[in-house]
Amino acid sequence: MGRNLLLNIADHGFSTAGYDKDLSKVEALRRESKERDVRGAAGITEIIALLRQPRAMVNGEPCVTWLGPGSAGHFVKMVHNGIEYGVMQLIAETYWTGANSNSGIA
């Protein structure tokens, strides 16, 4: 589930929800959340009910567009992967810089 991640996100003012097949982990999340806006779900239908549907809007219009009849999904996935790998590289380089400097960051 990533209980510590959920609690950390909640500490920064965001509401979160988590699900795990192991009910003891769900109960631990509920106990540890205290006054934070964190919800633990005991089942798939419960976690789905806790999540908002994504509805990003810009100027009153949905953030979608038609990319063509063939292989558009592959293009979108390629762009997504490029962004994701770039972010992972940035995290790795930031950690390396901190670990190999005298700043005491890492």
Side-chain angles (χ1 to χ4, degrees), residues 45-104:
T45 54
E46 187 178 353
I47 189 70
I48 290 171
L50 291 173
L51 299 174
R52 292 186 305 226
Q53 292 183 4
R55 293 189 175 125
M57 303 293 276
V58 175
N59 297 324
E61 297 292 324
C63 296
V64 297
T65 189
W66 173 253
L67 295 176
S71 300
H74 297 288
F75 176 76
V76 171
K77 182 65 176 168
M78 179 189 68
V79 171
H80 170 269
N81 285 346
I83 294 168
E84 186 174 52
Y85 295 146
V87 169
M88 290 189 316
Q89 183 70 31
L90 177 63
I91 291 168
E93 289 181 13
T94 302
Y95 177 81
W96 184 90
T97 301
N100 292 291
S101 70
N102 294 326
S103 66

Side-chain angles (χ1 to χ4, degrees), residues 7 10 28-40:
L7 294 172
L29 175 66
R30 289 175 178 165
R31 270 193 319 276
E32 293 176 27
S33 64
K34 298 181 180 155
E35 290 91 35
R36 298 178 189 107
D37 191 7
V38 178
R39 303 219 174 103

